[in-house]
Amino acid sequence: MGNRFPARDRFADGAQFIDGRLRPGTSGRTHAVVDPATGDELLTYELAGAADVDAAVAAALAAFPGWAGATPGERSDALHRFAAVLAERAAEFAAAESLQCGKPIKLSTEFDVPGTVDNAAFFAGAARHLEGASAGEYSGDHTSYVRREPIGVVGSIAPWNYPLQMAAWKILPAVAAGNTIVLKPSELTPFTSLMFAQAAQEAGIPDGVINIVNGAGADAGERLVGHPDVVMTSFTGSTAVGKRVAEIATATVKRLHLELGGKAPFLVFDDADLEAAVQGAVAGALINTGQDCTAATRAYVQRPLYDAFVSAVAALMETVRLGDPFAPSTDMGPLISYAHRDGVAGIVDRARGYARVVTGGAAPDGAGLADGAYYRPTLVVDAAQDSEIVQSEIFGPVLVVLPFDSDDEGIRLANDTPYGLAASVWSRDVYRTGRATREIKAGCVWVNDHIPIISEMPHGGYKASGYGKDMSAYSFEEYTQVKHVMYDNTAVARKDWHRTIFGDRL
């Protein structure tokens, strides 16, 4: 483990990054970060408590005037330097991400890290484009224009499935717009968020602009969301926890962005390219071991293709190679923890009472896998639409396939869950896909693909999947305050509208 990432040495001073330095937490409790591929303990650190959150918010509040007062060009230059530092350290970031999450090194190297570097470059450019409505005489007697200003200290909470990318998605738009931030990552995966903040410091972003507190949600998380000096909260995680975040944020009238659970439908019409749909379904269901809120989880396949689709997906799943996340040949790593693996297994085991497991449905017993939180790629059929495995977010390598007959039925079934984060439609018919993209209630709908994201386009959902956007200029705008400025152009002391207050006196 030491050759992969010397965690103990790097974070010997603690796992809280506050006002430009590492320090231990003060909650009085510790947490052990565990390699989910082996069960080995990587680092035990002191968790953040309320006092650490208060110190981080105070640092962010003190840094806000200077950072908000920097010119857009100055913030842009700093973020460009930040992107360069991230790119220089790409291999180190990839190793740390794979170690703490158990994700294959090829995923960290080819997806997580380059995506994060690209996000930094995108928001470096966005920092120069704080746009408002152009000046104009909309009332006739006044000139109006719109300013976009930083809002203050942002307190954000990120999940464990993509720690590096989620740190970027929360931090970059906030600081590009001139805000300062305190981020609470998941206590399970602290490494790359801390490294991200250290890289920002090296790039010249001032101390206090970016602060990281690693603590439990009930302590550090709730204190951060409810802190009176935090003006906005951006949360990514489960819908259940998102409801609690909303309750706390509402008490202090905070701006709130929620990116919550998903149960993405994968809608295959009878004229689809079957091979492409099969490849897309397996890749879309198994990316990051299925621990992705946009992962393909419910495949609805029009009946003429149904049997062939099920057979081909099962065959392809059985070729997926589980193994050491650092082996170049590994396709799929473990789940984040033994507890999470047991939760995934429990849903599948309960489904055996009403559905059929075609392949998978168990932990592997191969050499080198027994000590990790591994679970085989799993395909389930014959489940009812209202069953747990169809309706509930599993967050594991499990795909459920159901048949449908008419296009109306397929679209209806695709919309028939509380969630609306992402979806995909598969067809060669532009009118069919056009209708589906209009009628499926999801924040992102892919056509003949599933999963790709880009910095220029927004990510966020409908319904129980939350509201607000990550990435893109839409995200950037959420971290700004819109101010209308209105100048009188008449130089007249007594204005006509004063009659409504002063009676008929003119």
Side-chain angles (χ1 to χ4, degrees):
M1 185 275 295
N3 292 331
R4 291 178 173 181
F5 182 70
R8 291 183 180 86
D9 294 338
R10 176 182 286 280
F11 302 120
D13 293 332
Q16 318 301 327
F17 187 81
I18 299 172
D19 203 17
R21 68 180 182 88
L22 290 171
R23 52 188 265 184
T26 61
S27 70
R29 296 190 296 120
T30 60
H31 178 79
V33 181
V34 174
D35 179 351
T38 64
D40 293 339
E41 182 181 310
L42 302 172
L43 175 75
T44 296
Y45 68 92
E46 297 86 355
L47 288 165
D52 304 299
V53 173
D54 291 348
V57 172
L61 191 63
F64 175 70
W67 185 247
T71 67
E74 289 169 338
R75 292 198 293 268
S76 177
D77 288 346
L79 288 170
H80 276 299
R81 293 193 299 271
F82 187 18
V85 173
L86 294 172
E88 290 168 4
R89 297 187 176 174
E92 187 179 1
F93 273 99
E97 195 77 337
S98 286
L99 186 65
Q100 66 182 352
C101 300
K103 63 180 64 186
I105 192 66
K106 64 182 180 181
L107 180 64
S108 297
T109 301
E110 298 176 22
F111 183 72
D112 297 69
V113 174
T116 300
V117 174
D118 188 68
N119 262 253
F122 173 82
F123 283 108
R128 291 180 177 267
H129 297 285
L130 284 167
E131 297 178 348
S134 60
E137 286 69 47
Y138 298 99
S139 77
D141 291 337
H142 306 81
T143 296
S144 289
Y145 67 90
V146 169
R147 290 176 54 86
R148 284 195 175 272
E149 299 177 346
I151 58 176
V153 177
V154 177
S156 293
I157 300 176
W160 47 258
N161 58 332
Y162 291 102
L164 177 59
Q165 290 205 78
M166 293 298 100
W169 287 14
K170 301 304 182 193
I171 291 171
L172 292 169
V175 301
N179 304 290
T180 56
I181 189 168
V182 179
L183 174 71
K184 192 201 89 64
S186 168
E187 64 272 26
L188 301 178
T189 52
F191 297 157
T192 47
S193 298
L194 292 167
M195 294 168 60
F196 191 80
Q198 291 172 315
Q201 182 185 48
E202 183 175 328
I205 294 176
D207 292 349
V209 172
I210 299 171
N211 305 273
I212 309 292
V213 291
N214 281 293
D219 300 325
E222 294 204 2
R223 178 62 178 171
L224 180 60
V225 175
H227 199 288
D229 290 329
V230 170
V231 297
M232 176 181 173
T233 290
S234 177
F235 170 80
T236 296
S238 72
T239 298
V241 177
K243 291 178 180 178
R244 176 61 180 156
V245 169
E247 290 175 1
I248 299 169
T250 300
T252 49
V253 199
K254 285 179 173 44
R255 186 177 298 193
L256 187 59
H257 165 216
L258 298 173
E259 197 267 88
L260 307 177
K263 191 72 178 175
F266 188 98
L267 187 60
V268 183
F269 292 108
D270 57 13
D271 66 335
D273 180 325
L274 179 61
E275 181 183 3
V278 168
Q279 295 282 330
V282 174
L286 301 185
I287 186 172
N288 203 30
T289 318
Q291 298 167 130
D292 187 309
C293 51
T294 64
T297 59
R298 300 177 290 138
Y300 297 100
V301 183
Q302 208 152 22
R303 208 168 293 273
L305 294 184
Y306 178 78
D307 289 339
F309 180 89
V310 169
S311 177
V313 166
L316 186 55
M317 278 188 169
E318 290 168 2
T319 70
V320 172
R321 300 165 296 185
L322 280 65
D324 176 4
F326 285 84
S329 60
T330 294
D331 297 321
M332 198 175 88
L335 291 156
I336 187 64
S337 68
Y338 306 113
H340 185 56
R341 180 192 62 187
D342 293 345
V344 170
I347 293 175
V348 175
D349 289 343
R350 289 190 293 274
R352 296 180 196 276
Y354 56 79
R356 179 167 61 95
V357 176
V358 179
T359 189
D365 54 8
L369 302 179
D371 293 332
Y374 290 90
Y375 196 76
R376 289 173 57 199
T378 299
L379 177 63
V380 177
V381 298
D382 300 337
Q385 174 65 17
D386 62 356
S387 62
E388 177 191 30
I389 204 164
V390 174
Q391 292 292 323
S392 298
E393 187 173 33
I394 302 171
F395 227 57
V398 180
L399 176 65
V400 184
V401 185
L402 300 90
F404 71 92
D405 292 303
S406 68
D407 289 18
D408 288 348
E409 182 188 18
I411 293 172
R412 177 181 63 78
L413 291 171
N415 283 327
D416 185 26
T417 71
Y419 301 105
L421 186 59
S424 65
V425 296
W426 298 74
S427 171
R428 293 183 173 95
D429 187 328
V430 67
Y431 298 103
R432 262 181 159 173
T433 58
R435 178 195 174 190
T437 59
R438 291 191 301 272
E439 296 185 11
I440 290 176
K441 304 305 180 187
C444 174
V445 182
W446 292 284
V447 178
N448 295 323
D449 207 344
H450 196 107
I451 287 297
I453 54 175
I454 50 175
S455 297
E456 290 83 358
M457 289 292 112
H459 175 85
Y462 286 32
K463 303 189 294 185
S465 292
Y467 48 82
K469 300 298 179 185
D470 286 310
M471 300 195 299
S472 80
Y474 296 98
S475 167
F476 186 51
E477 291 173 358
E478 294 196 24
Y479 292 90
T480 64
Q481 185 67 264
V482 174
K483 177 185 288 184
H484 171 214
V485 178
M486 195 173 196
Y487 280 90
D488 170 61
N489 292 330
T490 66
V492 174
R494 296 186 176 185
K495 297 177 171 53
D496 287 347
W497 72 267
H498 293 175
R499 294 174 56 252
T500 62
I501 309 302
F502 304 131
D504 295 331
R505 289 176 294 154
L506 287 176

